[in-house]
Amino acid sequence: VEHIDDLIKKGIKNFYIQSHGESSEFIETTGEIYKDVINKALEKEEIDLSDKIADLIDLAHEGICNGYYFGSTGSQYHGRDL
């Protein structure tokens, strides 16, 4: 989520959030977070991610990762103690 602004500036128009098998709370909250960040990025508003990343970490069963953003597949960078 912290790279949305950069991705939009580079012309990315579609984002996919893996949600297969996730709870309705995960899907709703994650969607709201990304929608808010995307809208603020499009409007060139300041984006405060501190609470948003914490909320995503709390929802993720196995932590969150950057996907392919840095050229590798899913390097975990925010883990969660189970």
Side-chain angles (χ1 to χ4, degrees), residues 13-27:
K13 296 179 181 179
N14 298 295
F15 297 91
Y16 176 80
I17 301 166
Q18 177 63 39
S19 63
H20 179 72
E22 296 292 350
S23 68
S24 58
E25 178 190 14
F26 174 93
I27 294 167

Side-chain angles (χ1 to χ4, degrees), residues 17-19 22-36 55-56 59:
I17 301 166
Q18 177 63 39
S19 63
E22 296 292 350
S23 68
S24 58
E25 178 190 14
F26 174 93
I27 294 167
E28 180 179 358
T29 304
T30 302
E32 288 173 356
I33 289 170
Y34 273 82
K35 180 180 179 180
D36 181 53
D55 290 344
L56 290 172
L59 287 170

Side-chain angles (χ1 to χ4, degrees), residues 47-59:
I47 302 167
D48 179 13
L49 295 174
S50 55
D51 291 340
K52 294 176 183 357
I53 291 177
D55 290 344
L56 290 172
I57 291 168
D58 287 344
L59 287 170

